[in-house]
Every structure is written in structure tokens, then in C-alpha cells.
Amino acid sequence: LRNIASIQSADIDFEKGLNDAVTGDPASVFLISGDTGSGKSVILDGISMALYKTTPRLEGVVNQKQNEFLNADGQSVRINSIEQYTRLGISPGTECYSEVVFEGNDGATYAAKLTLGCYLSNKNKVTGERNVKYKTPEWTVRREGGEWVTSVTDVQNIIAKAVGLTF
């Protein structure tokens, strides 16, 4: 994870270092714990974002049209928008993504990635100001270190086949 919600940077390996505290054997179960706001749910959101370009928290929003607001720069922001996971206060061009590397049903290694972020708009002709705006999310996947696939339909199909589950 890079600059997703409350997490500035995190590399989490669910296969290495997860040992039973008493026996030292590889753990069959692990616990994600921490204080309120420390990013526990963001870890799970990040996995969902990379694999499905959405999260359970976004899917449950009712009255979506009533949950659309203009930010201080006049940019439309929806509560159910994946862009809301862009960490507040980052500079334009700063890395902002969630990536999951996993073994697919076919035994191949896949990487699924959702890239977010922000950029500076063109200069306003009247005020001369440049506003910060959200980038269009880019959802990609690749198999065994190959080329990144960028077509949303292809990404969705590849991940569904590799994982064996849809969102």
C-alpha cells in the first residue's frame, strides 16, 4: 500500500514471519490488531481494491446521488468513489496505489494493482490558480511478471479466473 487512506507506506507479506508466538510453528491463523484509525480495515480495503476496484464500504452506500459533494476546488466527490481512498495531503505525482501479489488457481503468480493519486489542473485563466484534482483510477493485472493488462473487462476476467471469485 502506498498513500491509501491512513497508510502512507506498508509492505505486508502474509506468508513470511507469521509464526505461532508459543510454539514458533507457522501460524494457521493471524490477527490484524491496532488502535482505532491505525489502518486495520484499510489493509482489507487495499486487498479488495487491487483485486476488484471496489471495497465493501463503497458498495454499501445508499442514495448515491445524495452523497455527492463539491470539494473546496469545485471537484465533484462521491462518498462511494474509490478516489476517496487517496491519502489526504499527498502532493501531485506522489505514488498512491494498492497492489496484491498472489498465486492464482493455475499456480501462476499474479499482481493486481489499483493506482490512484492526484494532479495539478491547468491554470485558471481568471485567477491563475491550479487546483489539485483526483486522477482517474487505473486498474491493472499481470501474470508471471508479464505485461500489465489495462482493459477493465480483461482485468476483471483475468482476476476472476485466477482467484475463482468475483467481488
Side-chain angles (χ1 to χ4, degrees):
L1 297 170
R2 296 292 183 272
N3 293 304
I4 298 294
S6 60
I7 298 178
Q8 182 176 6
S9 178
D11 295 314
I12 304 164
D13 189 334
F14 289 104
E15 293 182 338
K16 293 188 175 89
L18 296 174
N19 295 322
D20 185 287
V22 176
T23 66
D25 295 334
S28 58
V29 176
F30 60 89
L31 172 70
I32 300 171
S33 66
D35 293 336
T36 301
S38 63
K40 300 175 300 291
S41 296
V42 176
I43 294 168
L44 303 175
D45 286 340
I47 293 168
S48 181
M49 290 167 62
L51 293 176
Y52 302 110
K53 196 182 175 187
T54 191
T55 72
R57 289 196 265 190
L58 295 178
E59 290 293 311
V61 175
V62 294
N63 298 323
Q64 293 180 11
K65 289 185 179 180
Q66 292 177 356
N67 287 296
E68 187 162 337
F69 304 93
L70 294 180
N71 66 12
D73 299 323
Q75 184 179 15
S76 176
V77 178
R78 293 182 324 274
I79 287 182
N80 68 322
S81 170
I82 198 75
E83 291 93 339
Q84 72 171 314
Y85 280 97
T86 301
R87 189 166 164 258
L88 294 175
I90 66 169
S91 300
T94 301
E95 286 186 314
C96 182
Y97 65 85
S98 176
E99 182 175 5
V100 174
V101 177
F102 63 97
E103 182 178 322
N105 289 328
D106 60 358
T109 300
Y110 290 82
K113 185 175 186 177
L114 182 68
T115 303
L116 303 173
C118 55
Y119 67 96
L120 283 174
S121 68
N122 292 329
K123 198 178 274 191
N124 181 305
K125 292 178 183 176
V126 176
T127 65
E129 294 178 355
R130 295 180 72 189
N131 296 321
V132 175
K133 296 193 175 258
Y134 288 121
K135 288 182 180 177
T136 301
E138 183 181 7
W139 190 30
T140 57
V141 66
R142 68 180 174 181
R143 182 180 186 273
E144 297 284 338
E147 295 295 317
W148 287 98
V149 175
T150 59
S151 160
V152 172
T153 302
D154 291 343
V155 171
Q156 193 170 28
N157 290 335
I158 291 167
I159 291 174
K161 185 175 179 183
V163 174
L165 299 169
T166 61
F167 179 73

